[in-house]
Amino acid sequence: MQKIFRRFFTTLGIIFVVLAILILVDALHILTGPWANHLGLTFLFLVGLIFCIRWRLVFSSVLFLSFILMLHKAGIGMATVSNWTILGIAILAGLGLALIYHPHINYVKKLIKGGEPTPFATFEDQDDDVITIHSRFSDTTRNISGEFTRINLDTHFSDVDLHLDDAILATPTATIQFDCKSSSLQLYIPLEWNIEDQLQKVGSTIDYNGSENGTETKTVYFTGKIAASSLEITRV
């Protein structure tokens, strides 16, 4: 959990530094043009918009977008439209879209822990030989046994230990699909398996305790993306 909070505060620190730089640029009028004003507020609203989109908060996403439009309405030809009009349109559109599209309902149901919905949770789902591990702001250890063809690893701000010591590849190849952000991942993979790294890495590192090449013909493919994360592979 300490790693999780360290990454959280690091991300928050980066946001503050970028915000300070943008406020300075705005104060000194270094940039000119219709989109060069209110850079600090625009950045904060963009950060909020990104998080709302990532967590599928439809109504909040529309509101943040409307705030950005209010700041830069002159640059997009909406100077004659009042802020109250933009806000009213955003509220109506946000409510309508939230009623039509509400994926967060099923999402929250899956995050039930101790009878109460919480984002600080981990759950695992298995459909035949496809395994999904979902973790948010949690420390978790998972031991996979039996056959599998695919593992979906979806983690945010989490520490995950995944043991594949007793796992069996149902086919000559299998896939581990990563969607990991600000996480620390430890994978324990049998020495016999080959590893084919096809990951997209953004500000992330991969360390191998042992060789990428296995001793047999079976191969596990790493696909997907890891961002601001560390992945450690240990051969067992």
Side-chain angles (χ1 to χ4, degrees):
M1 189 63 69
Q2 290 181 350
K3 293 181 180 179
I4 296 173
F5 284 110
R6 191 182 303 120
R7 283 191 295 270
F8 171 77
F9 286 119
T10 299
T11 302
L12 194 62
I14 293 172
I15 291 175
F16 285 157
V17 171
V18 173
L19 179 60
I21 294 173
L22 291 176
I23 292 175
L24 179 62
V25 170
D26 200 10
L28 296 177
H29 303 289
I30 296 175
L31 299 177
T32 59
W35 291 91
N37 297 321
H38 311 294
L39 294 178
L41 279 176
T42 302
F43 174 71
L44 284 180
F45 290 147
L46 280 174
V47 171
L49 177 62
I50 291 170
F51 275 98
C52 287
I53 291 175
R54 183 62 189 87
W55 288 90
R56 301 182 183 182
L57 303 175
V58 178
F59 182 76
S60 299
S61 298
V62 175
L63 279 185
F64 274 111
L65 182 60
S66 71
F67 296 152
I68 296 173
L69 290 178
M70 290 178 196
L71 293 175
H72 300 283
K73 61 182 181 180
I76 55 176
M78 297 177 60
T80 58
V81 182
S82 70
N83 290 340
W84 288 109
T85 301
I86 296 175
L87 182 60
I89 293 173
I91 291 175
L92 291 174
L95 287 174
L97 290 173
L99 291 172
I100 296 170
Y101 182 70
H102 42 76
H104 58 282
I105 294 179
N106 291 329
Y107 178 77
V108 170
K109 286 181 180 178
K110 289 184 177 181
L111 294 177
I112 296 297
K113 186 178 183 182
E116 297 293 335
T118 170
F120 301 90
T122 298
F123 67 83
E124 179 179 329
D125 181 47
Q126 183 163 357
D127 183 10
D128 294 329
D129 52 6
V130 177
I131 300 168
T132 298
I133 298 173
H134 177 108
S135 183
R136 293 290 186 273
F137 295 91
S138 301
D139 294 344
T140 183
T141 299
R142 286 292 184 267
N143 295 286
I144 306 298
S145 60
E147 293 187 344
F148 79 93
T149 58
R150 182 185 182 91
I151 296 176
N152 299 315
L153 196 55
D154 178 15
T155 70
H156 288 186
F157 293 95
S158 297
D159 289 349
V160 178
D161 287 2
L162 181 61
H163 294 261
L164 300 174
D165 315 38
D166 300 322
I168 301 171
L169 296 188
T171 58
T173 63
T175 301
I176 300 179
Q177 172 75 26
F178 292 81
D179 181 9
C180 303
K181 297 178 178 63
S182 301
S183 296
S184 178
L185 312 168
Q186 292 82 37
L187 270 61
Y188 299 86
I189 295 182
L191 182 61
E192 294 81 10
W193 301 354
N194 296 298
I195 297 175
E196 187 69 32
D197 181 6
Q198 299 177 351
L199 277 172
Q200 180 183 356
K201 311 170 190 70
V202 179
S204 302
T205 60
I206 296 183
D207 295 320
Y208 285 90
N209 294 325
S211 174
E212 294 184 44
N213 298 321
T215 59
E216 295 183 359
T217 58
K218 293 191 174 183
T219 302
V220 58
Y221 288 87
F222 290 174
T223 61
K225 179 180 179 179
I226 58 174
S229 299
S230 64
L231 173 59
E232 182 176 349
I233 310 297
T234 300
R235 290 296 200 166
V236 292

